Every structure is written in C-alpha cells, then in structure tokens.
C-alpha cells in the first residue's frame, strides 16, 4: 500500500487537503451566527448597560442605582416579591486578571458560595462588535434562607480582553427557562 507521501506512488492524493478545506468552510459558515436572537432585547424589557457589556432584563426586574448596588457590580437589577428579593441580575467587569475565557470562568466560579451544587462549564457564544464571541456558562444551585436558588454565570473576555461576568440568580420557580434563555441570548459585548 502506498501513502500520499510515498515516492513510489507516483502521485499525491489531494482529497485529504480538499476535505480539510471543506471542513474549514463548513465550520466558518456554522460559526457565522444565524441565531437571530443573539444580542436582541425582547420587546418591553429593560437593559443593564456598562462600558463593556449590555444585558436585557425582564420588566419585573428593577435596575439598581450606583448607590443601591454592591461596589463590585457595574450594573444590577432585582426581582422583588412581597418586599423580598427573589432574583437578581448583576454585571461585573474586570473582576479577575484573566488571559483567557477559561480563566475568567474559573474566576467567576470562585464567587459561588461554598456548598453550592456546581454544574459543568459549557462553551457558549455571545454577541460582540465583530460577531459571535466565545464565553462560558456555569450553572449552579444553592440554598439561602430556606429557599433554593438557581443561578447561571456567563463569563468571558470583553473586546478589550478584560474579564466580565453576568450572573443571574433567582429563587426556583421565579424565573422561567424561557426568560433565562432570553437574558443569556441578549448579552452583548460593546
């Protein structure tokens, strides 16, 4: 049997190169983003805008002023029922020195309370100034004051290669999966 590089074959096979080129073209087209919901703010929703990241929030969430939110949050909105906070969306910027999306996600995981049930990191994409940008999604759950809280963090590097994290926490049953997906899909790097 002769190989593509074997001098005794008298010719080289070009199909491996053609197959690789074809696979690269398919990957490029697939990565171009046909997802029309990416970076879109659903009608009637508000937005949390920072210098590097914008994220939408359902109308029931109320944005916090700079004086109301933690000094570590560049933006925040809360969901309140009967005078009690049952959900929150926060944006943190430059919260860790990260050189990669993975490092930003690890830094974001460090902020999850001890005793939480931590899910596996998943690669996702968010809208960016030049198209889709890689990020990591981290799902987790914990119990606080007798309530089970479901959380998601989307972390990555913004267009200036600085870390960011969008965290969504809500008491179980207070934020539907559809709204959670819309929040995540709305994340846009500026």
């Amino acid at each position: 049997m002769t190989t593509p590089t074997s001098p005794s074959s008298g010719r080289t096979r070009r199909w491996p190169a053609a197959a690789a080129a074809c696979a690269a073209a398919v990957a490029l087209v697939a990565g171009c983003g046909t997802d029309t919901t990416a970076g879109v703010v659903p009608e009637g929703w508000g937005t949390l805008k920072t210098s590097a990241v914008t994220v939408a929030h359902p109308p029931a969430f109320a944005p916090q002023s700079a004086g109301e939110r933690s000094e570590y949050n560049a933006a925040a909105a809360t969901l309140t029922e009967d005078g009690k906070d049952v959900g929150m969306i926060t944006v943190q910027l430059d919260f860790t020195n990260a050189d990669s999306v993975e490092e930003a996600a690890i830094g974001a995981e460090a902020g999850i309370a001890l005793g939480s049930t931590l899910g596996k990191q998943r690669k996702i994409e968010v809208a960016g100034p030049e198209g889709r940008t890689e990020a990591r999604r981290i799902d987790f759950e914990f119990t606080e004051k007798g309530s089970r809280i479901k959380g998601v963090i989307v972390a990555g590097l913004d267009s200036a290669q600085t870390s960011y994290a969008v965290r969504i926490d809500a008491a179980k049953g207070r934020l539907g999966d559809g709204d959670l997906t819309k929040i995540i899909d709305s994340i846009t790097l500026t």
Side-chain angles (χ1 to χ4, degrees):
M1 179 172 147
T2 59
T3 64
T5 58
S6 170
S8 64
S9 70
R11 60 187 165 157
T12 59
R13 292 186 195 165
R14 297 181 202 273
W15 67 267
C22 183
V26 169
L28 181 63
V29 170
C32 286
T34 57
D35 183 1
T36 57
T37 61
V40 173
V41 175
E43 188 172 332
W45 284 36
T47 55
L48 298 175
K49 294 182 181 187
T50 71
S51 60
V53 179
T54 300
V55 61
H57 63 82
F61 281 74
Q64 292 182 337
S65 69
E68 294 172 308
R69 67 179 178 256
S70 163
E71 65 181 290
Y72 303 107
N73 294 330
T78 54
L79 174 64
T80 305
E81 290 180 1
D82 300 324
K84 180 181 173 185
D85 289 344
V86 295
M88 180 173 260
I89 302 169
T90 60
V91 180
Q92 290 188 344
L93 303 176
D94 199 15
F95 65 93
T96 188
N97 291 328
D99 294 326
S100 68
V101 173
E102 293 83 8
E103 287 180 12
I106 291 167
E109 284 179 349
I112 298 172
L114 289 175
S116 296
T117 304
L118 185 62
K120 188 175 181 181
Q121 281 188 29
R122 292 187 288 169
K123 288 183 183 180
I124 65 166
E125 292 182 338
V126 297
E130 297 179 14
R132 305 292 283 163
T133 302
E134 184 180 336
R136 293 290 183 275
R137 175 180 171 161
I138 305 146
D139 291 85
F140 60 97
E141 289 188 20
F142 62 95
T143 302
E144 181 178 81
K145 298 178 184 174
S147 295
R148 194 68 178 159
I149 308 295
K150 182 177 178 181
V152 174
I153 298 175
V154 174
L157 299 178
D158 63 23
S159 55
Q161 297 303 296
T162 304
S163 62
Y164 73 88
V166 175
R167 180 172 171 158
I168 306 122
D169 291 338
K172 271 195 152 182
R174 299 302 197 279
L175 181 65
D177 289 340
D179 282 348
L180 176 62
T181 298
K182 289 177 185 176
I183 294 167
I184 294 168
D185 286 346
S186 77
I187 297 171
T188 305
L189 307 182
T190 56

